[in-house]
Short mmCIF file of all heavy atoms in Angstrom, two decimals:
data_model
loop_
_atom_site.label_atom_id
_atom_site.label_comp_id
_atom_site.label_asym_id
_atom_site.label_seq_id
_atom_site.Cartn_x
_atom_site.Cartn_y
_atom_site.Cartn_z
N ASP A 137 108.64 309.50 148.91
CA ASP A 137 108.30 309.28 147.51
C ASP A 137 106.74 309.21 147.56
O ASP A 137 106.05 309.19 148.50
CB ASP A 137 108.89 308.11 146.84
CG ASP A 137 108.56 306.80 147.59
OD1 ASP A 137 107.53 306.69 148.27
OD2 ASP A 137 109.42 305.84 147.56
N ALA A 138 106.23 309.21 146.20
CA ALA A 138 104.77 309.22 146.07
C ALA A 138 104.10 308.05 146.65
O ALA A 138 102.98 308.13 147.21
CB ALA A 138 104.50 309.28 144.51
N ASP A 139 104.78 306.84 146.58
CA ASP A 139 104.16 305.67 147.24
C ASP A 139 103.95 305.82 148.71
O ASP A 139 102.92 305.36 149.26
CB ASP A 139 104.97 304.42 146.86
CG ASP A 139 104.95 303.99 145.45
OD1 ASP A 139 103.98 304.46 144.72
OD2 ASP A 139 105.77 303.24 145.00
N GLN A 140 104.93 306.38 149.38
CA GLN A 140 104.77 306.55 150.86
C GLN A 140 103.64 307.56 151.21
O GLN A 140 102.86 307.34 152.06
CB GLN A 140 106.07 307.14 151.38
CG GLN A 140 107.22 306.10 151.46
CD GLN A 140 108.56 306.79 151.84
OE1 GLN A 140 109.13 307.51 151.06
NE2 GLN A 140 109.01 306.52 153.02
N ILE A 141 103.55 308.62 150.35
CA ILE A 141 102.46 309.60 150.66
C ILE A 141 101.10 308.93 150.34
O ILE A 141 100.21 309.12 151.19
CB ILE A 141 102.64 310.86 149.65
CG1 ILE A 141 103.90 311.54 150.04
CG2 ILE A 141 101.46 311.77 149.77
CD1 ILE A 141 104.36 312.54 148.97
N ASN A 142 101.01 308.20 149.26
CA ASN A 142 99.79 307.50 149.01
C ASN A 142 99.32 306.51 150.08
O ASN A 142 98.14 306.36 150.42
CB ASN A 142 99.83 306.80 147.66
CG ASN A 142 99.90 307.65 146.39
OD1 ASN A 142 99.40 308.80 146.56
ND2 ASN A 142 100.45 307.17 145.35
N ALA A 143 100.39 305.76 150.59
CA ALA A 143 100.08 304.78 151.66
C ALA A 143 99.57 305.49 152.90
O ALA A 143 98.59 305.02 153.49
CB ALA A 143 101.36 304.05 151.97
N VAL A 144 100.18 306.63 153.32
CA VAL A 144 99.72 307.37 154.51
C VAL A 144 98.37 307.98 154.26
O VAL A 144 97.46 307.91 155.14
CB VAL A 144 100.74 308.43 154.84
CG1 VAL A 144 100.14 309.40 155.92
CG2 VAL A 144 102.03 307.81 155.36
N GLN A 145 98.11 308.53 153.07
CA GLN A 145 96.85 309.06 152.70
C GLN A 145 95.72 307.97 152.80
O GLN A 145 94.64 308.22 153.27
CB GLN A 145 96.82 309.72 151.33
CG GLN A 145 95.56 310.40 150.99
CD GLN A 145 95.68 311.18 149.72
OE1 GLN A 145 96.45 310.83 148.78
NE2 GLN A 145 94.90 312.31 149.55
N HIS A 146 96.02 306.82 152.23
CA HIS A 146 95.06 305.70 152.31
C HIS A 146 94.75 305.28 153.76
O HIS A 146 93.58 305.04 154.11
CB HIS A 146 95.62 304.55 151.51
CG HIS A 146 94.62 303.38 151.50
ND1 HIS A 146 93.47 303.28 150.83
CD2 HIS A 146 94.79 302.16 152.17
CE1 HIS A 146 92.89 302.11 151.00
NE2 HIS A 146 93.69 301.39 151.85
N GLN A 147 95.85 305.22 154.56
CA GLN A 147 95.66 304.81 155.95
C GLN A 147 94.84 305.77 156.74
O GLN A 147 93.93 305.45 157.55
CB GLN A 147 97.04 304.67 156.67
CG GLN A 147 96.96 304.16 158.04
CD GLN A 147 96.34 302.81 158.20
OE1 GLN A 147 96.82 301.82 157.75
NE2 GLN A 147 95.17 302.78 158.84
N ILE A 148 95.07 307.12 156.50
CA ILE A 148 94.31 308.12 157.18
C ILE A 148 92.84 308.04 156.80
O ILE A 148 91.93 308.17 157.63
CB ILE A 148 94.86 309.61 156.95
CG1 ILE A 148 96.17 309.68 157.64
CG2 ILE A 148 93.94 310.65 157.35
CD1 ILE A 148 97.02 310.97 157.21
N SER A 149 92.65 307.85 155.46
CA SER A 149 91.24 307.69 154.95
C SER A 149 90.51 306.59 155.59
O SER A 149 89.35 306.60 156.01
CB SER A 149 91.32 307.55 153.43
OG SER A 149 89.95 307.38 152.93
N GLN A 150 91.27 305.41 155.70
CA GLN A 150 90.66 304.22 156.36
C GLN A 150 90.29 304.48 157.82
O GLN A 150 89.24 304.07 158.29
CB GLN A 150 91.74 303.12 156.24
CG GLN A 150 91.11 301.73 156.20
CD GLN A 150 92.15 300.69 155.77
OE1 GLN A 150 93.33 300.85 155.91
NE2 GLN A 150 91.67 299.58 155.27
N TRP A 151 91.18 305.12 158.52
CA TRP A 151 90.90 305.44 159.94
C TRP A 151 89.68 306.33 160.05
O TRP A 151 88.86 306.20 160.93
CB TRP A 151 92.15 306.16 160.56
CG TRP A 151 93.19 305.20 161.09
CD1 TRP A 151 92.93 303.96 161.60
CD2 TRP A 151 94.53 305.44 161.15
NE1 TRP A 151 94.07 303.37 162.00
CE2 TRP A 151 95.17 304.21 161.78
CE3 TRP A 151 95.39 306.38 160.79
CZ2 TRP A 151 96.51 304.08 161.97
CZ3 TRP A 151 96.81 306.28 160.96
CH2 TRP A 151 97.39 305.13 161.56
N LYS A 152 89.56 307.30 159.22
CA LYS A 152 88.45 308.23 159.24
C LYS A 152 87.13 307.48 158.93
O LYS A 152 86.14 307.72 159.58
CB LYS A 152 88.58 309.44 158.23
CG LYS A 152 89.66 310.44 158.76
CD LYS A 152 89.65 311.75 157.90
CE LYS A 152 90.56 312.76 158.48
NZ LYS A 152 90.31 314.11 157.90
N ASN A 153 87.17 306.57 157.86
CA ASN A 153 85.98 305.87 157.60
C ASN A 153 85.59 304.93 158.69
O ASN A 153 84.44 304.56 158.82
CB ASN A 153 86.25 305.00 156.30
CG ASN A 153 86.26 305.85 155.05
OD1 ASN A 153 85.74 307.01 155.05
ND2 ASN A 153 86.97 305.47 154.03
#
Side-chain angles (χ1 to χ4, degrees):
D137 60 28
D139 288 343
Q140 288 171 289
I141 296 166
N142 289 337
V144 169
Q145 187 173 29
H146 178 73
Q147 182 61 66
I148 290 172
S149 177
Q150 209 167 22
W151 275 328
K152 287 192 174 192
N153 289 335

